[in-house]
Amino acid sequence: MSAITSECCSTAASITEVLLGGDAVLNLTPQTLNVVHGTPFIGVADGRLWLSAKPAAIDWQPHFADSIRQLTMPDISRIVIITDAATGDASSVSRAFAASGIPHMICVLRDVCDADAFMDEADAEAVAERLRQLGYL
Amino acid sequence: MELFLLGIDGLPRWMWQQLADSDVMPHSAQLLRTGTLVPMKSALPEVSSAAWASIVTGCNSGGHNVFGFTDLMDGSYTLGFTSSRTLRAKPFWAEASAGPSLIMNVPQTYPAQPMNGMLVSGFVALDLKRAVHPPEQLGWLESIGYAVDADMSLVEHGKARFVQELRRVMDARCQALHHHWDREPWKSVMFVFTGTDRLNHYLWEDFEDRSSPFRQMFLNYYHEVDRQIGRMLERLDDRVLIAAVSDHGFARQLRSVNLNCLLAEAGFLRLKHSPRPSFADLGPETTAFAMDPGRIYLHRQGRYPGGRVTAEESEELLQRLTSFMLNATVDGQPVAESVHRGRDAYSGPFAHRAPDLIVMPAEGTALSGRLNLTQLLETTLINGRHTYEESTFFVRGPEAAARIPSDMKVENVLDVILPAKTAQLRRAA
């Protein structure tokens, strides 16, 4: 399994647009994420990482890296590491997952994210026009 | 390279065989002799966004969340456009085991999402800057005049000008494919011709009419597509699994029926007066409305802010709507060939977002979900329409062909060409 590290940005409100089936969220921020019910999170219990069915946030500690290999994640194919401007741990977390060969992505939360706003009013009108030309609208 | 997946948007299986047999597509003829070509069923409804999403994820719309080009945001009347961000199942290139992939012009991949390799988004890409991953490849694409789409408005300046534009866009896309093909040892390459769909929409009447002055132009375009296919095949050795797909079939369009207009005439839909109608203008007495191309939604209580149809009322209403659609005629011609229940057609975590009914059009008819209720029969330059039956599936060699199911559908493509990916999906389910 190759560890793919890539980065995107989103907002706490629209994070569901980033998450795909098979993703687990590792939230390094104190922000509440607008996820759908049942989204798996990585939390901490007894000083170790574990997979939780409930939202969790992590104050990352270096020794957590030791428990990555013990994480049981049968249906998870990617970890989405959520960070923001006030959180500086994302790169060390990313290195820890990379060292374990676990595919992951860093998603930086912003107040406003260009990628989320890709379909602004002008874009929507442009798409609508293209769909009209093909008879959809 | 292990996999080369070629997409030819809107190319019917029978037409590919016919053009190959008649020397319009000689490279295709050579390719088709090395494998198995079968008809494939499209998505329900037969719309490109849903069909390509099924092809690249191995799920039907209930699994990937793309039911059409448009959707209403949950709990609202806000019209949204489906995109890579609404596609909720992983395309095969995003799987951990996929390896580096080169993915070019696949519809429903805009804006470009991070992935292992390179991706240039296809329809409905708007801005090349947001259509390219990784972004450092943008400059070269701009330098060759790569366009995210052809300017379809040019059809109003004549068919010759339109076809010239389709050629220009195809040439740049193929140039980009070969340039990036050389850059890295890709594990998978997927490339989609989409000009074929546009050509079929606007020049299908010319293809069918042997006396049309534009017929040769239509065939010449396919000949050029075939020449490009030949260039690609030259680069593929015997170890590469080659597959080719189209997202739907094509047939003659004689009329376009506005389903919302039909529903309004029958009393199922009422719009508040508005100079520019939107779904927010649905009156509370509305019990059903349509979205592109044949999706019918009950105006359900709890699902829409002004919805009044209760769960208890829904079954009787669905039966009435089904009967109405199956018996409806416009100018003496039937509107629908069949009507499917959404709950039977889809499976997966997003099946609850499905339309309640899917209306499949009668022969010669296209269905639209416009909210403009002034024209039951719409005026359009389009004379070719999608079909559910007879999209294309081809795979080289006997081993993969043995996995083709008897009732091949777009969501089965990965079962055949990447069986390990679908086994993984099933385990996750």
Side-chain angles (χ1 to χ4, degrees), chain B residues 102-370:
Chain B
L102 174 60
I103 306 297
M104 296 199 65
N105 199 36
V106 178
Q108 209 57 33
T109 59
Y110 180 82
Q113 299 292 313
M115 47 88 73
N116 182 7
M118 176 169 176
L119 183 145
V120 185
S121 308
F123 192 74
V124 184
L126 293 173
D127 179 358
L128 189 59
K129 290 184 180 61
R130 290 172 182 165
V132 180
H133 173 84
E136 53 265 30
Q137 297 300 335
L138 174 67
W140 185 86
L141 289 166
E142 286 178 330
S143 75
I144 65 160
Y146 189 100
V148 287
D149 206 355
D151 180 355
M152 286 182 281
S153 71
L154 289 174
V155 76
E156 291 164 17
H157 298 269
K159 289 178 176 176
R161 180 71 190 86
F162 177 61
V163 175
Q164 190 184 13
E165 166 72 356
L166 294 180
R167 283 286 300 269
R168 182 188 71 81
V169 171
M170 174 168 65
D171 288 349
R173 280 181 186 151
C174 291
Q175 185 185 350
L177 171 71
H178 290 288
H179 173 83
H180 290 291
W181 191 321
D182 291 330
R183 277 197 310 110
E184 281 192 42
W186 307 107
K187 188 172 174 186
S188 305
V189 173
M190 181 175 183
F191 178 86
V192 180
F193 289 102
T194 43
T196 43
D197 175 86
R198 314 300 184 260
L199 186 80
N200 291 354
H201 272 302
Y202 288 103
L203 276 80
W204 192 264
E205 62 187 3
D206 304 288
F207 171 57
E208 288 196 344
D209 178 3
R210 290 187 168 271
S211 66
S212 165
F214 298 106
R215 186 168 194 273
Q216 193 56 46
M217 194 183 293
F218 183 96
L219 297 178
N220 288 349
Y221 186 84
Y222 270 97
H223 186 70
E224 180 57 21
V225 167
D226 185 71
R227 194 181 70 78
Q228 296 289 0
I229 290 173
R231 280 184 69 202
M232 294 169 200
L233 295 177
E234 275 172 15
R235 309 188 62 160
L236 299 166
D237 64 37
D238 291 343
R239 291 166 297 180
V240 179
L241 179 65
I242 301 177
V245 293
S246 70
D247 51 339
H248 48 72
F250 245 90
R252 182 69 192 274
Q253 176 175 320
L254 298 169
R255 67 195 75 81
S256 174
V257 174
N258 183 324
L259 276 187
N260 282 319
C261 207
L262 196 66
L263 290 169
E265 284 187 5
F268 292 104
L269 185 152
R270 184 71 54 83
L271 273 186
K272 295 173 206 161
H273 180 71
S274 168
R276 200 176 174 193
S278 73
F279 288 96
D281 298 314
L282 288 176
E285 57 276 66
T286 295
T287 54
F289 60 90
M291 300 190 78
D292 68 277
R295 296 178 285 154
I296 294 190
Y297 294 82
L298 298 190
H299 196 206
R300 289 179 186 269
Q301 201 175 71
R303 185 168 182 180
Y304 303 103
R308 294 222 306 228
V309 177
T310 64
E312 293 72 35
E313 293 166 330
S314 62
E315 180 54 35
E316 187 271 335
L317 183 55
L318 287 171
Q319 286 180 23
R320 238 176 350 117
L321 277 163
T322 302
S323 171
F324 168 70
M325 284 296 167
L326 289 174
N327 292 299
T329 58
V330 176
D331 283 356
Q333 300 296 318
V335 170
E337 180 185 276
S338 59
V339 178
H340 301 263
R341 291 279 180 110
R343 71 172 182 214
D344 301 329
Y346 306 106
S347 55
F350 304 99
H352 65 282
R353 302 190 71 253
D356 289 287
L357 296 174
I358 305 109
V359 182
M360 303 304 283
E363 192 176 336
T365 300
L367 303 175
S368 104
R370 292 178 199 207

Side-chain angles (χ1 to χ4, degrees), chain A residues 2-27:
Chain A
S2 64
I4 305 161
T5 303
S6 52
E7 191 162 321
C8 70
C9 88
S10 187
T11 63
S14 58
I15 190 70
T16 52
E17 296 189 8
V18 170
L19 300 176
L20 297 165
D23 285 346
V25 177
L26 193 158
N27 185 6

Side-chain angles (χ1 to χ4, degrees), chain A residues 25-109:
Chain A
V25 177
L26 193 158
N27 185 6
L28 298 172
T29 80
Q31 299 194 50
T32 302
L33 306 176
N34 178 29
V35 294
V36 297
H37 181 69
T39 299
F41 277 74
I42 292 179
V44 175
D46 299 328
R48 298 161 64 95
L49 300 177
W50 68 297
L51 198 64
S52 164
K54 292 182 180 170
I58 290 182
D59 179 13
W60 184 261
Q61 304 297 320
H63 70 270
F64 289 163
D66 300 335
S67 60
I68 287 178
R69 287 183 191 278
Q70 277 89 54
L71 267 172
T72 307
M73 305 187 292
D75 298 333
I76 302 301
S77 49
R78 183 175 70 161
I79 307 297
V80 179
I81 301 165
I82 308 290
T83 184
D84 61 19
T87 308
D89 295 323
S91 55
S92 58
V93 179
S94 172
R95 281 196 298 276
F97 278 95
S100 298
I102 295 177
H104 59 283
M105 177 171 84
I106 296 172
C107 184
V108 183
L109 294 187

